[in-house]
Amino acid sequence: MQPKLSIDLDKIRANAALLAQLCRQRGVVVAGVTKAACGDPLVARAMLAGGLELLAESRLENARRLRAAGITAPLMLLRLPMPGQAREVVELFQCSLNSELAAIKALNEAAGAAGLCHDIILMVDLGDLREGIWPDALDEYVREIARLEHIRLLGLGTNLTCYGGVIPSPENLGRLVQYHRRAEAIYGRPLPVISGGNSSSLPLVLAGTLPPITQLRLGESILLGRETTARQPIPGAHLDCFRLEAEIIELKEKPSLPVGEIGQDAFGGAPVFVDKGIRRRAILALGRQDVVPESLTPPPGAEILGASSDHLIVDVTDYPEPLAVGDVLAFNLGYGALLAAMTSPYVGKEYCGER
Ligand SMILES: *Cc1c(COP(=O)(O)O)cnc(C)c1O
């Protein structure tokens, strides 16, 4: 059997509805981020069925897939646009996140040529050191953007806990709100959106300490049910919307220490081993071409020992059921595993729940 990713659309819909409700109570609109599901139209529909009205994607290919499937909800582009793709960006997306004037000017021209008005959110780097203008450049950017005829500035945004691991706080998101007020004064008009981050901002929502931002862009919390500063479960959310199954192709008792001199493993790493004596080991037809093994959680009683391109080695000595070659083990997925499994052409997808 090919590795199989089971996708529970009912649970994704329920998570979307739960988070939409939680955020709505604080005046926050949720954009449903589909990128970790590779712009899967059924996953996107489950988010919309849960009550979200806006979807967000990082790739043009995924946005095209959503549109080709007949999804008409407004789309936001998450990754900074490449100026050379401006024409496609304004055709596919109502709104994009931006931090470079060259790209914004390219979007302005493309929107003008297409007879459109394109919305942008200006990203401000609050210290995570991924995208965003440094705050001292704010005035200049807003002034330049205000000159562009086919661009409408919706407001400011930020992204945290992605590169630098910086945790959203009342203090740093409070600064975003201050910058937003300043941008409104320069732009000379109210700006409706303060886009205050991703699933890592949810602990502030839950604690009731979120500054007055108006939008969150949520992916992982909808798909996997966790916030992303410490991967704590969101109360009431499903943690098992996705499950990855793979088949046992070898099952044998073997020593836990390799026999012979140890060099490098298949990926140039230096493997380390603990001697636990003779153990029962299963090899599964699942590897790095399918998934990120480090981001898998095995079933109780099983322990992942390692992986190569096509093999996952699992200690099943303590597995509670009898096992045989041809049996299937099911794993829970973290973000890295989900992203890889959704992207891998070797992993089959199976949906359950209402479409
Ligand atoms: C991926 C992404 C998100 C969603 O992040 P999650 O942690 O999955 O909620 C939000 N904003 C931007 C800019 C992103 O790239």
Side-chain angles (χ1 to χ4, degrees), residues 2 14 43 57-58 86 104 114 135 139 143 146 188 228 254 270 277 284 316 321:
Q2 172 190 40
V43 170
E57 246 308 325
S58 53
I104 299 169
D139 298 13
R143 262 186 230 114
T228 54
K254 290 189 187 180
L284 275 62
V316 292
E321 316 280 334

Side-chain angles (χ1 to χ4, degrees), residues 315-339:
D315 184 327
V316 292
T317 315
D318 302 324
Y319 194 75
E321 316 280 334
L323 287 172
V325 169
D327 282 354
V328 163
L329 290 182
F331 298 80
N332 203 311
L333 296 91
Y335 192 75
L338 175 62
L339 188 66

Side-chain angles (χ1 to χ4, degrees), residues 18 22 206 225 233-237:
L18 174 78
L22 260 173
L206 292 166
I234 311 283

